[in-house]
Amino acid sequence: MRLLHSLARTHASFDDPDLVSHAGLVPVMALAQRAGLADLVAEHVRPGGECGVNADLKVGCLVAGMAAGADSVDDMDLLRHGAMTSLFGGVRAPSTLGSHLRCYTWGTSASWRRRAGSS
């Protein structure tokens, strides 16, 4: 099959600060909240170093970013555009999230596996 017409080139620009480009995150993060994601992270996740503090907030941001299509730390900046900060509290900067991710080591995941096997 072949397209018989050339595609039109369009450009959309939205500069209204009240727009939310990823409104689908509302039900996703509501489900995470109802499921107790933050409490589970606070109870079970202990990354090392000073960047490991507030893991419950940072993991929530990482989940939201991945659900919105972010595939790198820099892409996590999508959580700070438009009215996203009006919908979600505790949004962290991409650099903070990247530092947090670097706190996880092989030993961290090994301790999780040991803990999971013992319960």
Side-chain angles (χ1 to χ4, degrees):
M1 180 169 26
R2 188 178 66 153
L3 184 63
L4 297 177
H5 301 282
S6 63
L7 297 175
R9 292 184 183 234
T10 60
H11 176 74
S13 176
F14 299 99
D15 57 0
D16 186 339
D18 295 326
L19 289 177
V20 178
S21 59
H22 298 287
L25 284 179
V26 173
V28 170
M29 296 314 293
L31 177 61
Q33 187 171 328
R34 288 185 69 197
L37 176 65
D39 295 335
L40 288 169
V41 171
E43 182 180 344
H44 298 286
V45 177
R46 300 271 186 267
E50 63 186 45
C51 294
V53 299
N54 298 322
D56 54 330
L57 292 174
K58 294 172 185 172
V59 168
C61 288
L62 292 165
V63 168
M66 289 187 295
D71 61 1
S72 70
V73 171
D74 290 335
D75 288 348
M76 292 293 168
D77 200 32
L78 64 83
L79 298 175
R80 303 187 321 159
H81 288 290
M84 293 290 275
T85 55
S86 298
L87 288 174
F88 304 107
V91 175
R92 299 298 193 248
S95 59
T96 302
L97 298 174
S99 296
H100 178 77
L101 287 171
R102 284 187 287 280
C103 287
Y104 294 95
T105 64
W106 181 86
T108 306
S109 63
S111 70
W112 290 343
R113 283 193 302 273
R114 281 192 305 274
R115 196 175 305 136
S118 65
S119 25

